């Protein structure tokens, strides 16, 4: 299973917080009326739509047909495209991405495509999972899945880099890094550990039968609910964000 198998509906029920928490990265982008902006991994288009409402011309791309459909229903110019092989050339003032780049393990292919898509001096502004992101959930998945004969490391779909690694990739891709930081952001899981796994950690469930899925979800809920709960019994995951603003060098 890949991200392209996502259901926009399940995502909206269990993970609406992903776009709701995108405000700081939109603020860092500081979109200006009339700008042409590419949203990489636009999902169901909530933030792309916000860029449009601020007077930008926005194009969203996503590898999930369900997400692209949902974004189009919002009136977004959403296209079913792989961010690892972008074919746009010097046509955007800015490239924006929220909570998507960590699904793209070939980071250099994405960065090179973004650089090509930007006009000289264009901005690349993004937030993604960074080093240590959802460590407790990821560790528990890696511990439980071998009981079902699954090599969790081999099917782990995520790339959570640290500042130095991603900054050096950006520089190698022709960007000047204006700001980059790793930001811990404990994040409420409104539908519990099971809801989060079902909506977001789906690739780990793909090799399991229905019965095995229920067993895994129950075991993870039992183990992690006490660890991730606060005093009010609300669950928080240990999200860590990598946020950056980079500018395409005028000569590249
Ligand atoms: C995130 O947006 O931080 C995230 C996405 C997928 C898995 C884990 C975390």
């Amino acid at each position: 299973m890949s991200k392209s198998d996502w259901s926009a509906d399940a995502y909206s029920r269990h993970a609406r917080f992903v776009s709701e928490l995108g405000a700081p990265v939109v603020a860092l982008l500081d979109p200006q009326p009339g700008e042409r902006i590419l949203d990489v991994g636009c999902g169901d288009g909530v933030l792309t739509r916000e860029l449009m409402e601020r007077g930008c011309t926005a194009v969203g791309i996503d590898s999930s047909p369900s997400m692209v459909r949902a974004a189009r229903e919002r009136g977004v110019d959403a296209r079913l495209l792989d961010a690892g092989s972008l074919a746009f050339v010097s046509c955007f003032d800015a490239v924006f991405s929220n909570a998507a780049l960590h699904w793209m393990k070939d980071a250099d292919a994405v960065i090179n495509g973004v650089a090509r898509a930007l006009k000289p001096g264009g901005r690349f502004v993004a937030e993604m999972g960074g080093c240590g992101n959802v460590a407790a959930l990821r560790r528990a998945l890696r511990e439980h899945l071998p009981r079902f004969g699954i090599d969790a490391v081999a099917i782990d779909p995520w790339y959570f880099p640290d500042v130095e690694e991603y900054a050096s990739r950006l520089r190698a891709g022709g960007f000047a890094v204006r700001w980059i930081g790793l930001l811990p952001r404990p994040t409420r899981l409104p539908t519990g550990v099971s809801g989060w796994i079902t909506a977001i950690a789906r690739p780990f469930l793909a090799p399991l039968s229905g019965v095995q899925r229920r067993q895994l979800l129950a075991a993870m809920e039992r183990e992690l609910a006490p660890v991730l709960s606060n005093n009010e019994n609300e669950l928080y995951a240990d999200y860590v964000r990598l946020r950056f603003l980079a500018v395409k060098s005028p000569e590249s």
Side-chain angles (χ1 to χ4, degrees):
M1 180 180 291
S2 70
K3 194 185 173 201
S4 57
D5 300 299
W6 280 25
S7 143
D9 193 42
Y11 192 78
S12 180
R13 263 182 286 125
H14 299 288
R16 175 51 57 220
F17 63 84
V18 173
S19 52
E20 285 173 359
L21 294 173
V25 66
V26 175
L28 186 61
L29 174 67
D30 190 19
Q32 300 299 312
E35 283 191 318
R36 194 169 152 77
I37 299 182
L38 176 66
D39 184 354
V40 171
C42 66
D44 60 9
V46 168
L47 291 176
T48 332
R49 181 78 218 175
E50 182 171 337
L51 302 178
M52 292 161 65
E53 279 159 13
R54 289 174 180 233
C56 303
T57 301
V59 174
I61 64 156
D62 205 283
S63 60
S64 156
S66 170
M67 291 295 191
V68 166
R69 262 195 309 279
R72 286 181 181 160
E73 278 163 20
R74 287 200 156 81
V76 169
D77 175 1
R79 308 184 192 173
L80 185 65
L81 289 177
D82 177 358
S85 47
L86 292 175
F88 301 104
V89 180
S90 290
C91 53
F92 291 101
D93 299 293
V95 174
F96 168 82
S97 182
N98 180 54
L101 298 179
H102 45 246
W103 294 97
M104 303 171 195
K105 285 193 157 175
D106 190 348
D108 295 329
V110 175
I111 289 169
N112 291 334
V114 168
R116 232 180 354 260
L118 282 168
K119 299 174 186 172
R123 321 187 297 289
F124 182 19
V125 176
E127 184 170 300
M128 64 191 291
C131 187
N133 195 39
V134 294
L137 287 151
R138 199 182 200 192
R139 189 166 45 242
L141 284 163
R142 288 180 173 195
E143 278 167 14
H144 284 275
L145 278 162
R147 286 200 285 118
F148 301 98
I150 309 295
D151 179 353
V153 175
I155 62 168
D156 190 323
W158 300 323
Y159 168 58
F160 298 139
D162 64 23
V163 163
E164 279 319 309
E165 179 184 336
Y166 211 82
S168 74
R169 288 185 190 279
L170 286 166
R171 288 189 199 102
F175 286 96
V177 179
R178 291 282 160 78
W179 190 89
I180 187 164
L182 209 52
L183 309 161
R185 191 202 63 199
T187 298
R188 176 98 196 271
L189 304 183
T191 55
V193 171
S194 306
W196 185 86
I197 295 173
T198 308
I200 293 186
R202 292 166 65 85
F204 289 100
L205 299 180
L208 301 179
S209 68
V211 172
Q212 290 173 327
R213 283 181 193 196
R214 284 190 289 281
Q215 288 172 340
L216 175 76
L217 293 176
M220 296 265 307
E221 194 84 55
R222 254 194 323 273
E223 178 180 323
L224 289 176
V227 177
L228 301 179
S229 295
N230 67 8
N231 291 340
E232 276 80 50
N233 269 341
E234 297 162 333
L235 288 176
Y236 280 82
D238 46 351
Y239 272 53
V240 178
R241 320 307 293 162
L242 181 71
R243 191 182 299 159
F244 62 85
L245 162 58
V247 175
K248 176 176 171 174
S249 313
E251 65 276 10
S252 69

